[in-house]
Amino acid sequence: MTARRLTGRAKFLVDFGPLLVFFIAYFFGARLAPVFGRAVAPGEELFLAVQLFLPAFAIAFAYSVWRERRIAPMLMVSGLAVGVLGGLTLVFHNKTFFYMKPTIVYALFALTLAAGLFSGRNFLKTLFDGALHLPDDAWRTLTRRYAFFFAALAAANEIAWRWLARDCDLTAIGAACAGEAAWVNLKIWGFTAINLVFALAQAPFLARHAKEGLGTGN
């Protein structure tokens, strides 16, 4: 089968399908679980959501790799972080690992982009795989912007979860956390919206330099 980039519905499902599974499991899992012969104690919603999110993410990851015949650096970073931190959350019954997942993923994204710049490799350009043509200087500028952006998101998540869960016992069985739902909404909807707004804010820069890229063949 010829490798090709994911587009349209397939890309949407790969990018947002696992998040949707997580959202439904967290907010509605306690009501749906009795249908399947099990119960979810108050405070255990996050663990159920992680249990369902991990296989959903694995399926999306595998499909993306099979379809595109490659593993993009950012996808590899995200996959490793999700697998390791999600697994530790369940094994040790400790929500801290999953609360820290966005912090670690965004920090690794920032470090990966920065390391690429220092080593002369532009991972952001690789990620676009020819879909966007910019001069090398523009690629470096865009990469620096995204590196700082991801670093800011990592800091924002770390501050947010520590504040929202400041009075919570993250290891106790059946211990509810008042700020947890707010953090879940921030993780799913807040960071998604922020990423979209930031991407849209780059549109004038991309439009200004796209013609130059076509002229240079980059």
Side-chain angles (χ1 to χ4, degrees), residues 53-122:
F53 172 77
L54 289 181
F57 182 88
I59 292 170
F61 183 94
Y63 178 78
S64 176
V65 173
W66 170 74
R67 190 68 173 171
E68 296 194 323
R69 290 291 191 270
R70 68 183 181 116
I71 304 179
M74 311 294 271
L75 181 62
M76 174 64 78
V77 168
S78 181
L80 287 173
V82 167
V84 171
L85 296 172
L88 290 174
T89 299
L90 298 179
V91 170
F92 292 101
H93 201 271
N94 188 334
K95 298 176 181 179
T96 305
F97 294 109
F98 206 75
Y99 283 147
M100 291 184 67
K101 182 184 74 66
T103 301
I104 293 174
V105 169
Y106 286 132
L108 288 175
F109 281 177
L111 289 173
T112 299
L113 292 176
L117 286 177
F118 280 113
S119 65
R121 300 178 64 188
N122 196 302

Side-chain angles (χ1 to χ4, degrees), residues 15-16 28 30 36 46-47 73 75 79 85 87 104 114 120 124 128 134-135 142 150 188 192 206:
D15 290 344
F16 297 104
F28 304 102
F36 301 97
L46 185 70
F47 296 112
L75 181 62
L85 296 172
I104 293 174
L124 196 63
F128 279 94
L134 301 172
L142 188 63
F150 286 136
I188 296 175
T192 299
L206 297 179

Side-chain angles (χ1 to χ4, degrees), residues 8-19:
R9 184 182 302 175
K11 181 168 178 56
F12 178 84
L13 289 175
V14 166
D15 290 344
F16 297 104
L19 282 177

